[in-house]
Amino acid sequence: MRRPGGWWRTKSTPEKVETYTRWSFHFFGVIEVFALGLTAYGRTGAGLATVLCLLVVAHAAVCMLVSSRALDWTRGRRPQPVRLMWTLVVVSAVVSTTAVVIAERGPAGEVETAAGSVYGGVLCFAAGVITLGVSGRRRMVAVVGGFAVGAGLLTFPLEMPVLASVVLAGLVMVTGGFLAITSIFSLWLLNAVYALDDAKETRARLAVAEERLRFGRDLHDVMGRNLAVIALKSELAVQLSRRGRPEAVEQMIEVQRIAQESQREVRDVVRGYREAALEVELAGARGVLTAAGITAKVTGETAGLPAEVQSALGWVVREATTNVLRHGDAKKVAVTVRMSGGRVVLTVENDGVAETTGDGPSAETADTVGSAPTSGSGGSGLAGLRERLSAVDGTLEAGPAGRGVFRLTAAVPLPDATAGAALEVAS
């Protein structure tokens, strides 16, 4: 069963900002209903107030629909809602004209104030919403200016003074412009958040590509020279063999030796690529997390730990850090290395977990704690990390450690001599 608010925690940061932005635009419609529709009941009779309120509700509903479709258009999910925007223009004109008729032919007194508020208000809200569906500053200014001019022209049937018409047009211009600027800024902020998220993903892909280039460069350095020598000596052996020279056997023996040496060097390169030094990985994790704007706290001593233990725990740090950047929304990450009861215990905590149930972490979080691809037989995910740790009799635990906190704990037993030396260093 989902916890209250679980649907919100499962969203990424850009999705949260988009949801907030979308409902902010919908809230404009709610404000319109309360500010223009419901207040009419305190200014005129129930009959006319109901008519005005229904007109405002219909206009607000169209505004909400246009803002939602315009937001989808901005994100590239839908075509530009041109017809809906023209529909909003028509609805705004109908509501404004009806308000003018009510103000002109209705009972004198406060009904004119109520109808006048509806008249100017719907034009302001429509101007602010329609700017969401257009691109370019000139078009946005043209939209707001067009509604302001229209507001001034529609006042002539009311026989309002010219100065009053100009003031009303100016109010529509200022208020509609303010709503338009607010809406455009919200879209700009949303696009900026998505761009930053894309840059974050691109940075992770570039890190993987850089590591592949390094591995390829190392292999080229090892194999390039040896393969060139093998090719030359093989060609020489062929020539000597055709001439019946006994030196051909010696050349092929040399080719065999170089090939065996190349195999050994390749194994060394791959072994070095697979191994991860714990101290190096801790420093790298601190640097990467800090660069991503995440507060990183790394504590503990790694001196005196066996190389195989450091390699196994280094992979835990590497993959946990990668997945904090890729799959979480963490603000703080704490990495701790400590000695306890003849074991070295590595703990990685972050506050970016997306919980969906009350029984444990979400399936996505649990599966992707170590989901970065690994070389060799280690596999990926928690299963891959457990396989690496099992080689040194280690264990791995992962799960929630409080509200919104995810904890990954790896424990590896130490040999007696190593444990004693490590405890001395720690003390």
Side-chain angles (χ1 to χ4, degrees):
M1 183 176 180
R2 286 197 173 203
R3 291 184 178 182
W7 66 276
W8 177 260
R9 295 192 185 95
T10 58
K11 292 179 177 291
S12 64
T13 298
E15 290 173 342
K16 290 179 180 179
V17 175
E18 180 177 350
T19 302
Y20 170 79
T21 304
R22 190 181 299 275
W23 283 101
S24 296
F25 294 151
H26 292 338
F27 189 64
F28 283 167
V30 176
I31 293 176
E32 181 180 358
V33 172
F34 276 91
L36 304 179
L38 297 182
T39 56
Y41 283 96
R43 298 177 178 177
T44 185
L48 288 176
T50 301
V51 172
L52 291 173
C53 186
L54 291 177
L55 290 173
V56 171
V57 169
H59 185 268
V62 178
C63 285
M64 291 180 182
L65 182 59
V66 171
S67 63
S68 181
R69 295 293 177 83
L71 181 58
D72 290 337
W73 168 68
T74 303
R75 295 303 312 151
R77 304 190 189 107
R78 292 178 181 268
Q80 187 178 17
V82 178
R83 292 184 180 180
L84 269 178
M85 290 191 294
W86 279 112
T87 300
L88 179 57
V89 172
V90 173
V91 172
S92 301
V94 171
V95 174
S96 299
T97 303
T98 304
V100 168
V101 173
I102 293 176
E104 184 178 17
R105 299 185 180 182
E110 293 185 350
V111 67
E112 295 182 356
T113 304
S117 298
V118 172
Y119 167 73
V122 295
L123 295 177
C124 293
F125 280 102
V129 169
I130 289 182
T131 53
L132 294 172
V134 297
S135 58
R137 296 181 182 178
R138 293 183 179 180
R139 293 181 180 178
M140 296 175 186
V141 172
V143 169
V144 177
F147 274 92
V149 172
L153 293 178
L154 286 176
T155 57
F156 283 102
L158 295 177
E159 298 180 355
M160 291 179 60
V162 176
L163 180 60
S165 299
V166 172
V167 171
L168 180 59
L171 288 175
V172 173
M173 173 72 79
V174 173
T175 306
F178 173 77
L179 293 175
I181 292 174
T182 302
S183 301
I184 297 304
F185 177 77
S186 298
L187 287 182
W188 174 84
L189 181 61
L190 175 62
N191 291 330
V193 171
Y194 269 105
L196 289 174
D197 189 67
D198 291 341
K200 181 179 178 181
E201 184 66 23
T202 301
R203 181 176 56 191
R205 289 196 299 267
L206 288 176
V208 174
E210 183 179 356
E211 187 66 13
R212 288 175 178 171
L213 288 174
R214 184 191 70 80
F215 184 61
R217 186 171 55 250
D218 291 345
L219 281 180
H220 178 270
D221 293 342
V222 170
M223 297 297 295
R225 175 181 58 83
N226 291 349
L227 288 176
V229 174
I230 288 174
L232 290 174
K233 286 188 173 292
S234 298
E235 183 178 356
L236 178 58
V238 170
Q239 296 296 331
L240 292 174
S241 178
R242 287 175 178 175
R243 298 174 186 177
R245 301 282 296 274
E247 291 87 348
V249 177
E250 296 179 0
Q251 294 297 327
M252 290 308 299
I253 293 174
E254 183 67 13
V255 167
Q256 183 182 20
R257 186 191 66 79
I258 296 175
Q260 292 173 347
E261 181 69 16
S262 299
Q263 288 180 330
R264 184 188 63 78
E265 291 179 348
V266 169
R267 283 195 295 268
D268 291 340
V269 171
V270 174
R271 186 182 301 110
Y273 181 73
R274 289 179 178 177
E275 292 178 354
L278 181 56
E279 185 175 356
V280 175
E281 294 300 331
L282 290 174
R286 182 191 293 110
V288 170
L289 293 172
T290 302
I294 300 174
T295 302
K297 182 180 180 182
V298 180
T299 57
E301 289 289 339
T302 62
L305 295 178
E308 60 273 13
V309 174
Q310 292 205 34
S311 178
L313 295 180
W315 270 108
V316 176
V317 175
R318 178 186 298 182
E319 298 197 9
T321 302
T322 299
N323 284 280
V324 167
L325 295 173
R326 282 179 141 179
H327 304 286
D329 187 21
K331 301 297 184 295
K332 296 180 181 179
V333 175
V335 183
T336 305
V337 181
R338 58 187 176 85
M339 309 297 171
S340 176
R343 301 184 306 165
V344 55
V345 180
L346 170 69
T347 304
V348 182
E349 288 186 358
N350 73 85
D351 59 356
V353 64
E355 295 176 294
T356 58
T357 68
D359 299 326
S362 65
E364 178 184 1
T365 302
D367 289 341
T368 59
V369 169
S371 64
T374 62
S375 302
S377 61
S380 61
L382 293 178
L385 290 181
R386 287 192 175 97
E387 185 175 345
R388 289 182 180 277
L389 290 171
S390 65
V392 289
D393 298 326
T395 59
L396 182 70
E397 295 179 359
R403 186 176 180 83
V405 177
F406 190 83
R407 177 183 297 161
L408 184 70
T409 304
V412 178
L414 295 174
D416 295 338
T418 305
L423 290 174
E424 290 179 4
V425 172
S427 60

